[in-house]
Amino acid sequence: MLPISHINGPGAIPSGPFSFFFPDNVPTMNVLVLNAGSSSLKFQLIDTDLDMIAGNRDRRLARGVIERIGSQALISFENAAGNIVRTAQPIRDHRGAIDAALRWLVSDEAGIEGVSSLSAIHAVGHRVVHGGEKFTNSTLITPEVIKGIEECIALAPLHNPDNLRGIRAATEIFGPGIPQAVVFDTAFHQSMPEASYLYALPYQLYRRYKLRRYGFHGTSHRYIAYRYRTILGIPKSDVNVITIHLGNGCSATAVKGGRSLDTSMGLTPLEGLVMGTRSGDIDPAIIEYLMAMEGFGIEQVDALLNKQSGLLGISGLTNDMRELLAEEREHGDRRARLAIEIFVQRIKKYIGAYLAEMNGTDAIIFAGGIGENSAEIRSRICRDMGWCGLRLDEERNAKLVAGAEGEITADGSTLRAYVIPTDEELLIARDTVRLVERAELPR
Ligand code: AMP
């Protein structure tokens, strides 16, 4: 098979002239995609349409990050030409952050063709972490939807309140005239069967509290699965793959018939793979043991598992895979090597489990900061996998870094492996357009 890197290679932000209507009169919209964190706001302005299949009409007009909201905020804005503006200014809250982003977006400095006032922003799409069992798909924002997101706060106390702050701030600024949509990190995994999502705990805990596995990174796994079927030109029902998102957070999903069958994250994003600072799977008895031996309170245990574990915890050095690889290579650091080994082994374990659970699969797909950039880690994961028909082509693998897309297995490999750079913001923008246009959402 041809490498697929030519289809959507690096630097794929097209920079053609602005047009509100494409020649065949497919309407396009400028969607402001917002991702509000506790003291941060990430945004992108994306010009997209309803055409999911051609999929190459999207234009990323600008993006930015505002950090340390609530004090002297650090701002980084970038337009499609790659011009970056970095400044610092006091920003009090998320409303102030969105204000700052909008002022720049419509400015001469940003220089975005056709975007000189707020009226050039046609819709807003928000990333929301937890949609519980209530939200199985993206949806337009209504008072009931806000209430539903509030009801999920108990399930994601660290994330949903921040996401809501972003929604409220955008509503204050844009008013009712601009439609807004929400895309949930959990929604893609709502297709999991009971056998995948239930813990082996007393069933009444599920009934009482909806205590179950939800899974996260759903927008990323869904995008990767969608992109795979677009590249191969196959229907969704034929998508049988294991998607592996390896960034600061890491998760793997078994996608069968185009739907999430099982995923490695659980009630929270702590379960599953080893991550930058999160432990992933552990024996739950460790919590009680730590409380007894170290005299920890529950907050300290929580911080230990979420912020001091994973690659950082094992290596004692860093949560950054690039630095760990450099330490191992340049200084032969034993604990850096160990951290990488445990990281890789856990991924192999999940691949094996999903291969068994799915009765075999067609491909393994890597995405995320590590999955997209580190040929070395991909190579270690795929080593000695001939038993299940996976044979890596090291040369192809080494070439696919920095946003390149393509196959990394050798011709004749019966289990294929690909790198597909994820694009959660694009999926949020497209869902938003579909909802605004009242078109059917893909499931
Ligand atoms: P993300 O959360 O998707 O932005 O991914 C962040 C992770 O990607 C960090 O652990 C980075 O160290 C890692 N990463 C980015 N580039 C590389 C690279 N070239 N080699 C190894 N890891 C990388």
Side-chain angles (χ1 to χ4, degrees):
M1 203 186 86
L2 272 176
I4 51 179
S5 48
H6 65 283
I7 296 177
N8 192 18
I13 301 176
S15 55
F18 178 85
S19 63
F20 185 62
F21 287 98
F22 280 104
D24 54 355
N25 271 2
V26 179
T28 76
M29 269 186 196
N30 293 332
V31 181
L32 180 65
V33 177
L34 296 178
N35 182 355
S38 59
S39 62
S40 69
L41 178 83
K42 290 189 194 141
F43 70 88
Q44 290 198 11
L45 185 63
I46 298 177
D47 176 20
T48 187
D49 58 23
L50 284 175
D51 190 351
M52 291 282 282
I53 298 306
N56 50 9
R57 298 181 164 194
D58 317 294
R59 296 189 305 144
R60 203 178 319 272
L61 302 175
R63 64 180 143 207
V65 187
I66 301 176
E67 290 165 304
R68 297 202 204 158
I69 296 170
S71 62
Q72 183 74 357
L74 302 176
I75 298 178
S76 173
F77 294 148
E78 181 180 355
N79 66 12
N83 299 321
I84 299 175
V85 182
R86 287 205 176 88
T87 52
Q89 70 182 65
I91 291 184
R92 215 170 48 173
D93 52 19
H94 284 85
R95 180 176 175 157
I98 299 175
D99 261 335
L102 291 173
R103 266 199 304 276
W104 176 76
L105 282 170
V106 301
S107 70
D108 290 343
E109 183 181 56
I112 306 168
E113 212 178 327
V115 180
S116 55
S117 74
L118 277 196
S119 63
I121 294 170
H122 307 119
V124 181
H126 296 266
R127 171 176 183 244
V128 172
V129 167
H130 219 305
E133 286 189 337
K134 195 178 179 72
F135 296 106
T136 58
N137 217 330
S138 309
T139 179
L140 284 174
I141 294 179
T142 63
E144 293 74 51
V145 168
I146 302 264
K147 201 159 152 272
I149 298 170
E150 283 168 348
E151 283 163 14
C152 295
I153 285 178
L155 292 168
L158 296 181
H159 295 107
N160 274 27
D162 299 327
N163 301 155
L164 279 165
R165 266 190 274 284
I167 293 171
R168 293 205 173 97
T171 307
E172 277 171 34
I173 292 170
F174 288 105
I178 303 264
Q180 298 191 62
V182 278
V183 177
F184 298 92
D185 254 16
T186 48
F188 181 60
H189 301 301
Q190 278 298 303
S191 55
M192 284 195 291
E194 268 181 327
S196 296
Y197 72 68
L198 281 180
Y199 289 111
L201 292 168
Y203 190 79
Q204 58 269 31
L205 291 177
Y206 167 62
R207 279 224 196 93
R208 215 177 287 158
Y209 306 115
K210 296 279 177 231
L211 188 72
R212 50 160 284 181
R213 309 181 62 252
Y214 288 92
F216 297 85
H217 284 155
T219 318
S220 176
H221 292 291
R222 190 180 132 209
Y223 176 82
I224 301 163
Y226 147 76
R227 183 77 199 140
Y228 170 81
R229 77 170 194 264
T230 309
I231 293 160
L232 266 64
I234 57 173
K236 183 170 176 176
S237 52
D238 285 354
V239 176
N240 298 307
V241 294
I242 299 172
T243 51
I244 306 180
H245 179 111
L246 303 176
N248 247 322
C250 302
S251 66
T253 297
V255 181
K256 190 158 189 185
R259 293 154 70 90
S260 174
L261 173 76
D262 203 352
T263 192
S264 60
M265 285 175 166
L267 175 74
T268 75
L270 185 55
E271 190 179 336
L273 304 181
V274 174
M275 311 179 211
T277 61
R278 284 177 238 158
S279 63
D281 296 336
I282 56 160
D283 180 343
I286 289 174
I287 295 170
E288 190 200 341
Y289 193 80
L290 276 173
M291 292 170 92
M293 303 303 277
E294 294 268 325
F296 277 179
I298 200 67
E299 287 83 14
Q300 282 165 298
V301 177
D302 188 68
L304 182 119
L305 297 178
N306 279 291
K307 303 210 168 92
Q308 298 151 24
S309 297
L311 295 173
L312 172 67
I314 302 164
S315 71
L317 290 172
T318 174
N319 62 338
D320 190 317
M321 183 58 90
R322 257 171 315 201
E323 290 173 22
L324 286 177
L325 286 164
E327 282 298 326
E328 184 197 41
R329 194 173 51 239
E330 289 160 24
H331 307 113
D333 189 280
R334 193 186 80 83
R335 278 171 53 191
R337 182 179 316 120
L338 199 56
I340 299 168
E341 194 181 326
I342 296 170
F343 179 87
V344 167
Q345 181 177 331
R346 184 79 53 87
I347 296 163
K348 272 180 175 284
K349 228 184 218 184
Y350 268 88
I351 293 173
Y354 288 162
L355 284 173
E357 203 176 330
M358 299 170 80
N359 197 11
T361 194
D362 296 333
I364 292 173
I365 310 174
F366 293 101
I370 301 171
E372 291 166 26
N373 292 298
S374 182
E376 177 61 32
I377 295 296
R378 295 193 302 253
S379 166
R380 292 190 200 189
I381 294 167
C382 297
R383 200 163 288 161
D384 300 328
M385 295 274 275
W387 65 272
C388 59
L390 193 158
R391 281 193 306 114
L392 203 69
D393 182 322
E394 290 291 357
E395 216 170 293
R396 283 181 185 169
N397 182 41
K399 277 194 200 134
L400 292 187
V401 290
E405 180 181 77
E407 185 179 350
I408 55 174
T409 28
D411 296 337
S413 180
T414 50
L415 175 59
R416 295 188 146 142
Y418 295 87
V419 177
I420 297 185
T422 194
D423 198 338
E424 295 164 82
E425 290 79 10
L426 180 57
L427 205 62
I428 294 173
R430 284 178 173 171
D431 273 7
T432 302
V433 172
R434 285 178 166 246
L435 286 162
V436 171
E437 294 289 327
R438 307 206 176 279
E440 201 187 326
L441 278 173
R443 277 270 16 167

